[in-house]
Amino acid sequence: MEKSFKITTAEGLHARPATILVSSVSPFTASVELLYNNKSVNLKSIMGVMAQAVPAGAVVTISANGTDAEELISKVTEVIISQGLGEEC
């Protein structure tokens, strides 16, 4: 399952937003990827997320596979919106 988001924070996905996202998905067993600019990284890796250098206004896709993938995508959606990191596309 996957979902796309437009990043709306002025700084893009720098250290603080990346930490928030990685922390929110770490408790889940499902594998999760962040896709941006035709490159995919493990969303459970803060270095991987930061290496993407996702700027403000970019559209990213989060995909998850596993037994708790649906709950994981729901949590990511909640965190991105409630923390003001982005909006659903």
Side-chain angles (χ1 to χ4, degrees), residues 29-45:
T29 60
S31 63
V32 58
E33 301 285 325
L34 180 144
L35 176 65
Y36 170 67
N37 208 18
N38 294 321
K39 293 173 72 178
S40 180
V41 297
N42 182 348
L43 189 55
K44 293 181 180 178
S45 165

Side-chain angles (χ1 to χ4, degrees), residues 2-65:
E2 65 179 40
K3 198 167 199 179
S4 295
F5 300 91
K6 180 178 180 182
I7 302 303
T8 58
T9 59
E11 306 84 14
L13 289 184
H14 63 87
R16 186 188 64 80
T19 301
I20 292 169
L21 282 175
V22 169
S23 297
S24 71
V25 301
S26 293
F28 294 91
T29 60
S31 63
V32 58
E33 301 285 325
L34 180 144
L35 176 65
Y36 170 67
N37 208 18
N38 294 321
K39 293 173 72 178
S40 180
V41 297
N42 182 348
L43 189 55
K44 293 181 180 178
S45 165
I46 191 162
M47 294 306 290
V49 174
M50 290 179 61
Q52 288 279 52
V54 178
V59 174
V60 300
T61 300
I62 308 295
S63 64
N65 289 305

